[in-house]
């Protein structure tokens, strides 16, 4: 059901995203359609303007033609005027009245001609200006049209890409929908099966409840009749019960104790270095002990500082003993942590050491301030260190108080209530953080003091190096205490939660004695469980035991018969021993006879026969050496030329025996070699498989990282594309608004030009 709900949620999210993308797609389509309509309207307007321009050009051509006609007419009128003047000279007297009329007409014509010329010039200027404006507007509109066409093409490409993407997403969503439907059907089937199972389980539960109720009644009756008392009702008896073993809890505590041991070791080394280098500093500054005697106060102070190891080292030892006491098999709580008392005592001894050296340290700083080499700034730093040392001792006193309180449950449980454990742990954490802050202040003030002491005219290289060593030890001490404080504060919840670990049904261990008894009982219980887990000795299988029993029952031999058989076998062994001695004597006699025969044959035969006898004497010599009883008598080689049948048979038997033994050993050796080669090959194959598995693991981890990076990158790209599309849409809307405004302005300008051109044409027609 949870998987179905997750799939339904994923499907709803995908549907929402699809609806959003679809709405965006519709908006983009509307924007593209509007732009196409605007571009078409602009083209039509451009055509209209071209037509109006052609009309104006035609009107201009007609005006020019009319002007030319008027000019020709004016010329003709001038010629006529000249002729009339010539004629008038002749007929001055006769035509005075006509001359007056001609002058009046001439003046009227000249005025009319001047007006027409001026109007023609004005029209030429207006036409030229209108033509220039029309050309500029046409160029601007053409450039805007090209930009709009490119934008429209880009938007169309974007729309095509989006449509492809949306179709792909739609197909994917449809496939996902089909898969989800199949999954929903399977989940419905599983839900039906689960319902049937739940009904069966409920029925079984009812049956089990009835059975358990009957068993509970029987067990309660048995407990009331057989059990004398219940030890969990009394805290004193319940404290002796062994609690459930929490191995994870013990391993966690041991790990934390190991970390605390490492931190305490760092702290101990830093404290040793700090006290040692402080002792060196006291013997060097303000008075060097190598050139002059230091004050008795500083002598006593250095003497006490020399004893620091005997007080600091036990802290590490106490923490080590505490770590060793926390094992996997024990129950570690404050009541059983006996070694914490020893650590508290060691911390108390170190606190006594600090209290002992504190007055000398403060007096030493005051004496240093009173010296002539001490400046005002150095005196201020010394007084700050004076205050810091007091605070340091006070912090150690606090820590000792809280640690001694934690050690009380293992010795005196009435000294600390269990409800106050959490408060003690929190106070230890705050004290450790305060300790860290004090050490920071000491490090800061001492570094300033070291820089000021370097400027002292009597400062030596030894003083500078000692100051550097003290600063390094203080820095190490600060880092160690900071680690301890952070470690304690981080694990404070675990420390407080682990205190509830105790016997079942009880709230606490009553006393350390009961806790110790509980640990003894736990060891006994562990030993008993180990004895139960020991495997039983190998016994004879049941079938084999039955067969042996049948053999024993079927045999008619009794104990006496077996004793008689043993007696007979002993007699046979004695007889065989006697025969063995007899044959040994016979062999010695045969040897003597053989030597005599050899002596005779040496004298009669040549050296060729003796060589053959030496070659054939090797195997009888080996056979005779194998006999334990005749080793001493048969050590000499037998040089025999006689080919007796018993010697040859013995040689063959010995040869066959050794050959069979050699073959058997070689077969065992070959088997061992083959097994070793097989094991070696298996080991190499396993090593290769292990290396390949590690490589595959690394590659898979890298692929997982890359996949997560790609997912995040794709999400970022999706967000950026959405933002870019929104920005583009806003820019397009702004651009369309600006285009509409420009078009309205152009329409108004065209209308004004049309009005002016119509007015001019009307005037020309009237003229």
């Amino acid at each position: 059901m949870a998987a179905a709900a997750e799939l339904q949620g994923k499907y709803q999210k995908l549907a929402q995203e699809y609806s959003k993308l679809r709405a965006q797609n519709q908006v983009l389509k509307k924007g593209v359609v509007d732009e196409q309509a605007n571009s078409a309207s602009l083209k039509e307007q451009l055509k209209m303007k071209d037509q109006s321009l052609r009309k104006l050009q035609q009107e201009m051509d007609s005006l020019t033609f009319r002007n030319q006609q008027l000019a020709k007419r004016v010329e003709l009128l001038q010629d006529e005027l000249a002729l009339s003047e010539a004629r008038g000279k002749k007929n001055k007297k006769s035509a005075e009245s006509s001359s007056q009329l001609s002058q009046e007409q001439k003046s009227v014509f000249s005025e009319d001609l001047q007006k027409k010329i001026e109007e023609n010039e004005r029209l030429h200027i207006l036409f030229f200006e209108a033509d220039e404006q029309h050309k500029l507007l046409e160029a601007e509109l053409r450039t805007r049209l090209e930009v709009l066409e490119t934008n429209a093409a880009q938007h169309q490409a974007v729309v095509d890409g989006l449509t492809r993407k949306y179709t792909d997403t739609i197909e994917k969503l449809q496939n996902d929908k089909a898969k989800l439907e199949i999954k929903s059907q399977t989940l419905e089937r599983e839900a039906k099966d689960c319902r049937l199972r739940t009904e069966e389980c409920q029925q079984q539960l009812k049956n089990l409840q009835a059975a358990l109720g009957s068993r509970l009644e029987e067990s309660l009756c048995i407990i009331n009749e057989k059990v004398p008392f219940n030890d969990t009702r009394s805290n004193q008896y319940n404290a002796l019960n062994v609690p459930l073993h929490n191995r994870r809890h013990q391993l966690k505590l041991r790990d934390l104790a190991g970390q605390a041991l490492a931190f305490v070791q760092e702290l101990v080394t830093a404290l040793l270095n700090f006290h040692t280098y402080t002792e060196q500093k006291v013997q060097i500054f303000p008075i060097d002990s190598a050139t002059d005697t230091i004050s008795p106060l500083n002598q006593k102070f250095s003497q006490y500082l020399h004893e620091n190891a005997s007080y600091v080292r036990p802290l590490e030892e106490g923490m080590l003993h505490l770590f060793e006491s926390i094992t996997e098999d024990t129950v570690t709580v404050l009541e059983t942590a006996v070694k914490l008392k020893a650590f508290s005592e060691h911390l108390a001894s170190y606190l006594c050491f600090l209290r002992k050296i504190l007055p000398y340290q403060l007096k030493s700083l005051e004496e240093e301030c009173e010296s002539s080499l001490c400046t005002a700034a150095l005196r201020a730093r010394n007084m700050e260190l004076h205050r810091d040392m007091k605070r340091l001792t006070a912090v150690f006193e606090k820590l000792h108080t809280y640690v001694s309180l934690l050690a009380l449950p293992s010795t005196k449980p009435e000294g600390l209530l269990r409800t106050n454990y959490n408060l003690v742990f929190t106070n230890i954490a705050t004290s450790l953080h305060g300790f860290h802050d004090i050490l920071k202040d000491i490090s800061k003030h001492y570094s300033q003091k070291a820089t000021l002491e370097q400027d002292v005219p009597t400062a030596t290289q030894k003083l500078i190096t000692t100051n550097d060593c003290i600063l390094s030890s203080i820095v190490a001490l600060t880092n160690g205490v900071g680690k301890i404080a952070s470690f304690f504060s981080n694990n404070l919840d675990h420390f407080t939660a682990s205190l509830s670990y105790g016997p079942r049904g009880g709230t606490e261990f009553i006393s350390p004695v009961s806790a110790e008894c509980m640990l003894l009982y736990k060891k006994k219980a562990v030993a008993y469980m180990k004895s139960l887990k020991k495997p039983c000795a190998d016994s004879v299988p049941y079938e084999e035991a039955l067969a042996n029993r049948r053999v024993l029952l079927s045999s008619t031999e009794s104990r006496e018969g077996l004793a008689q058989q043993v007696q007979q076998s002993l007699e046979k062994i004695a007889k065989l021993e006697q025969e063995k001695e007899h044959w040994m004597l016979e062999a010695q006699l045969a040897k003597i006879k053989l030597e005599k025969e050899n002596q005779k044959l040496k004298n009669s035969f040549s050296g060729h026969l003796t060589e053959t006898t030496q070659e054939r004497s090797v195997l009888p010599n080996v056979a005779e050496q194998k006999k334990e009883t005749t080793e001493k008598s048969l050590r000499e080689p037998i040089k025999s030329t006689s080919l007796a049948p018993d010697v040859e048979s013995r040689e063959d038997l010995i040869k066959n025996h050794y050959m069979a033994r050699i073959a058997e050993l070689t077969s065992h050796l070959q088997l061992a070699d083959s097994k070793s080669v097989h094991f070696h090959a298996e080991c190499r194959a396993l090593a290769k498989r292990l290396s390949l598995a590690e490589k595959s693991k690394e590659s898979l981890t890298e692929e997982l990282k890359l996949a997560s990076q790609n997912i995040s990158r794709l999400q970022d790209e999706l967000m950026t594309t959405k933002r870019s599309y929104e920005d583009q849409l806003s820019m397009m809307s702004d651009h369309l608004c600006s285009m509409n405004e420009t078009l309205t302005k152009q329409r108004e300008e065209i209308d004004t030009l049309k009005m002016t051109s119509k007015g001019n044409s009307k005037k020309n027609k009237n003229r």
Side-chain angles (χ1 to χ4, degrees):
M1 295 299 288
E6 290 180 357
L7 292 172
Q8 189 68 26
K10 289 182 180 178
Y11 181 71
Q12 288 177 359
K13 289 180 181 178
L14 291 172
Q16 290 175 0
E17 290 181 358
Y18 174 69
S19 62
K20 288 180 181 178
L21 293 172
R22 192 168 182 179
Q24 291 178 0
N25 189 9
Q26 290 177 359
V27 172
L28 288 171
K29 283 183 179 179
K30 287 180 181 178
V32 171
V33 170
D34 293 336
E35 282 192 9
Q36 289 177 355
N38 289 326
S39 62
S41 64
L42 288 171
K43 286 180 181 179
E44 290 177 358
Q45 289 177 4
L46 185 63
K47 287 180 182 179
M48 294 294 290
K49 286 184 179 181
D50 289 333
Q51 290 176 2
S52 63
L53 182 64
R54 287 173 185 173
K55 287 180 181 179
L56 290 171
Q57 285 179 353
Q58 289 176 1
E59 289 178 357
M60 189 71 188
D61 293 335
S62 62
L63 288 172
T64 51
F65 179 73
R66 183 68 177 167
N67 289 329
Q68 288 176 1
Q69 286 181 353
L70 290 171
K72 287 179 180 180
R73 190 175 178 181
V74 168
E75 289 178 356
L76 290 172
L77 290 172
Q78 287 179 355
D79 293 335
E80 288 178 357
L81 182 64
L83 290 173
S84 63
E85 286 179 353
R87 288 176 185 175
K89 287 179 180 179
K90 290 179 180 180
N91 299 317
K92 283 182 181 180
K93 294 179 181 181
S94 62
E96 286 180 358
S97 61
S98 63
S99 63
Q100 289 178 357
L101 292 171
S102 63
Q103 285 179 358
E104 289 178 357
Q105 290 177 355
K106 185 178 179 180
S107 62
V108 170
F109 282 128
S110 62
E111 288 178 359
D112 191 9
L113 182 62
Q114 188 67 30
K115 288 179 181 179
K116 286 183 178 180
I117 289 167
E118 290 176 357
E119 187 177 359
N120 194 6
E121 287 178 357
R122 186 172 59 79
L123 288 173
H124 274 289
I125 292 165
L126 290 172
F127 180 76
F128 181 74
E129 290 177 355
D131 191 10
E132 290 293 327
Q133 289 179 358
H134 184 267
K135 287 180 181 179
L136 290 172
L137 288 171
E138 185 179 2
E140 288 180 359
L141 290 171
R142 286 184 186 280
T143 53
R144 287 181 183 178
L145 183 62
E146 290 175 357
V147 171
L148 290 171
E149 286 178 352
T150 54
N151 290 328
Q154 290 177 358
H155 291 308
Q156 188 65 34
V158 171
V159 169
D160 294 335
L162 288 171
T163 52
R164 292 194 206 96
K165 186 176 178 181
Y166 296 150
T167 52
D168 295 334
T169 53
I170 288 163
E171 290 177 357
K172 288 180 181 178
L173 289 170
Q174 288 176 353
N175 295 326
D176 293 335
K177 184 179 179 181
K179 291 178 181 178
L180 290 170
E181 287 177 353
I182 294 166
K183 286 183 180 179
S184 64
Q185 292 175 0
T186 55
L187 289 170
E188 286 176 356
R189 292 172 188 171
E190 290 178 356
K192 290 180 181 178
D193 295 334
C194 290
R195 287 171 187 170
L196 295 174
R197 289 177 185 174
T198 51
E199 290 176 357
E200 293 176 358
C201 291
Q202 286 177 357
Q203 189 65 31
Q204 291 177 1
L205 182 61
K206 290 179 181 178
N207 297 328
L208 287 171
Q209 284 177 353
L212 289 171
S214 61
R215 288 184 183 179
L216 180 61
E217 290 177 357
E218 292 176 359
S219 61
L220 287 172
C221 293
I222 292 167
I223 288 167
N224 292 325
E225 291 175 359
K226 303 292 184 180
V227 177
F229 70 96
N230 187 7
D231 56 356
T232 58
R233 292 178 181 175
S234 176
N235 289 329
Q236 293 179 354
Y237 296 128
N238 191 25
L240 299 175
N241 288 327
V242 178
L244 295 174
H245 182 66
N246 193 345
R247 184 172 176 272
R248 186 180 296 173
H249 167 78
Q250 288 297 121
L251 291 175
K252 177 68 174 176
L253 279 178
R254 184 166 176 80
D255 186 18
L256 293 176
Q259 295 179 18
L261 176 62
F263 293 145
V264 169
Q265 287 175 351
E266 292 180 3
L267 182 66
V268 165
T269 54
L271 286 172
L272 287 171
N273 292 330
F274 176 67
H275 291 312
T276 305
Y277 292 132
T278 305
E279 179 188 358
Q280 293 181 7
K281 173 69 181 300
V282 168
Q283 293 180 358
I284 293 171
F285 189 79
I287 299 171
D288 193 354
S289 61
T291 58
D292 198 356
T293 57
I294 61 177
S295 63
L297 178 69
N298 286 333
Q299 288 179 3
K300 198 71 174 176
F301 184 36
S302 63
Q303 181 182 354
Y304 286 151
L305 286 173
H306 192 68
E307 301 172 357
N308 66 85
S310 61
Y311 297 99
V312 178
R313 291 287 183 192
L315 293 174
E316 182 179 357
E317 294 175 359
M319 197 66 198
L320 181 60
H321 292 319
L322 181 61
F323 170 70
E324 290 174 352
S325 66
I326 300 171
T327 59
E328 184 180 349
D329 300 329
T330 60
V331 178
T332 304
V333 288
L334 289 178
E335 287 83 359
T336 59
V338 183
K339 299 295 181 181
L340 191 61
K341 179 66 176 175
F343 181 74
S344 175
E345 291 174 354
H346 295 318
L347 186 60
S349 65
Y350 180 67
L351 179 60
C352 292
F353 171 71
L354 287 179
R355 287 173 180 170
K356 184 169 66 174
I357 65 171
L358 180 62
Y360 294 97
Q361 194 169 11
L362 299 179
K363 290 291 183 182
S364 177
L365 289 171
E366 291 173 0
E367 185 178 347
E368 185 178 344
C369 292
E370 291 174 358
S371 65
S372 60
L373 298 173
C374 186
T375 60
L378 187 58
R379 191 177 293 108
R381 299 290 87 74
N382 287 332
M383 295 310 294
E384 288 175 352
L385 286 172
H386 191 280
R387 290 190 294 272
D388 292 338
M389 291 302 168
K390 289 181 180 178
R391 292 166 61 198
L392 183 65
T393 308
V395 165
F396 267 104
E397 287 178 353
K398 283 185 181 180
L399 288 173
H400 169 254
T401 302
Y402 295 132
V403 172
S404 62
L405 285 173
L406 288 180
L408 282 176
S410 61
T411 56
K412 296 178 181 180
E414 67 275 3
L416 181 64
L417 296 175
R418 194 178 184 83
T419 55
N420 295 327
Y421 289 176
N422 191 5
L423 182 61
V424 173
F425 278 112
T426 52
N427 287 330
I428 288 173
T430 54
S431 299
L432 286 171
H433 284 292
F435 188 19
H436 185 228
D437 295 335
I438 290 167
L439 287 173
K440 284 182 181 178
D441 294 337
I442 290 172
S443 177
K444 177 183 175 182
H445 298 154
Y446 205 92
S447 62
Q448 294 174 359
K449 181 185 176 186
T451 54
L452 291 172
E453 285 179 354
Q454 288 179 4
D455 299 333
V456 175
T458 59
T460 60
Q461 187 64 33
K462 189 175 181 181
L463 176 63
I464 294 169
T465 54
T466 304
N467 283 330
D468 292 337
C469 292
I470 292 171
L471 277 174
S472 63
S473 64
I474 292 171
V475 169
L477 189 62
T478 305
N479 293 330
V481 172
K483 290 178 183 178
I484 292 171
S486 60
F487 161 75
F488 202 86
S489 59
N490 291 332
N491 297 296
L492 186 61
D493 295 333
H494 182 75
F495 289 147
T496 55
S498 63
L499 297 174
S500 61
Y501 183 53
R504 182 183 294 176
T507 57
E508 60 183 359
F509 294 104
I510 299 301
S511 64
V513 178
S514 62
E516 188 176 358
C517 292
M518 182 273 301
L519 291 176
L520 292 174
Y521 295 151
K522 187 177 185 301
K523 289 179 182 178
K524 289 181 181 180
V526 169
Y528 177 68
M529 295 298 290
K530 286 182 179 178
S531 65
L532 291 177
K533 287 182 180 179
K534 283 183 180 178
C536 298
D538 296 333
S539 62
V540 179
Y542 182 69
E543 295 177 356
E544 187 177 352
L546 287 176
N548 293 332
R549 186 173 180 275
R550 289 169 187 169
V551 170
L552 288 171
L553 292 173
S554 63
S555 64
T556 57
E557 294 179 354
S558 62
R559 187 173 180 182
E560 294 176 356
L562 291 172
Q564 289 177 2
Q565 287 181 5
V566 171
Q567 188 67 29
Q568 289 175 3
S569 63
L570 289 172
E571 290 175 357
K572 286 180 181 180
I573 289 168
K575 288 179 182 180
L576 289 172
E577 289 289 336
Q578 290 175 3
E579 288 178 0
K580 181 180 177 183
E581 292 177 357
H582 173 70
W583 287 111
M584 286 173 66
L585 293 172
E586 290 290 334
Q588 288 178 0
L589 291 172
K591 180 186 174 186
I592 293 166
K593 289 179 182 180
L594 185 62
E595 287 178 355
K596 287 180 181 180
E597 290 293 331
N598 286 330
Q599 291 290 334
K600 289 178 183 180
L601 288 171
K602 278 183 181 180
N603 295 327
S604 60
F605 293 100
S606 63
H608 178 71
L609 295 172
T610 57
E611 291 176 359
T612 58
T613 56
Q614 286 177 0
E615 291 175 357
R616 290 184 180 181
S617 65
V618 176
L619 287 172
N621 187 15
V622 173
E624 289 168 358
Q625 286 178 359
K626 281 291 180 179
K627 293 181 179 180
E628 294 178 358
T629 57
T630 60
E631 281 182 356
K632 294 182 180 179
S633 62
L634 298 177
R635 284 180 183 174
E636 296 178 358
I638 300 170
K639 299 178 181 179
S640 175
T641 58
S642 64
L643 300 173
D646 55 350
V647 175
E648 289 179 355
S649 64
R650 261 186 287 162
E651 287 177 0
D652 293 329
L653 287 170
I654 292 165
K655 184 177 180 181
N656 291 328
H657 173 70
Y658 279 107
M659 291 297 289
R661 185 65 178 161
I662 289 166
E664 185 180 358
L665 291 171
T666 52
S667 65
H668 283 300
L669 183 62
Q670 288 176 358
L671 182 62
D673 290 334
S674 63
K675 284 183 179 180
S676 64
V677 170
H678 178 66
F679 289 150
H680 181 64
E682 283 186 352
C683 291
R684 289 181 65 186
L686 288 171
K688 287 181 181 178
R689 286 175 66 186
L690 182 62
S691 62
L692 290 172
E694 290 177 352
K695 288 180 181 178
S696 65
K697 183 180 177 183
E698 292 176 355
S699 64
L700 288 172
T701 51
E702 290 177 355
E703 287 177 359
L704 183 62
K705 289 180 182 177
L706 291 172
S708 61
Q709 291 176 1
N710 290 327
I711 288 166
S712 61
R713 182 173 57 79
L714 289 171
Q715 289 177 353
D716 295 333
E717 287 180 357
L718 180 63
M719 293 298 291
T720 52
T721 51
K722 285 183 178 179
R723 290 174 183 172
S724 63
Y725 288 151
E726 291 175 356
D727 295 333
Q728 287 179 2
L729 287 171
S730 62
M731 290 173 67
M732 287 170 64
S733 62
D734 296 333
H735 186 64
L736 289 171
C737 292
S738 63
M739 286 177 66
N740 290 323
E741 290 177 358
T742 53
L743 287 172
T744 53
K745 290 180 180 179
Q746 288 175 4
R747 286 174 183 173
E748 290 175 357
E749 290 175 357
I750 289 165
D751 293 331
T752 53
L753 288 170
K754 285 181 179 179
M755 293 295 289
T756 53
S757 62
K758 286 180 180 179
N760 292 327
S761 62
K762 286 179 180 179
K763 288 179 181 180
N764 291 323
K765 285 179 181 179
N766 293 323
R767 288 175 183 175

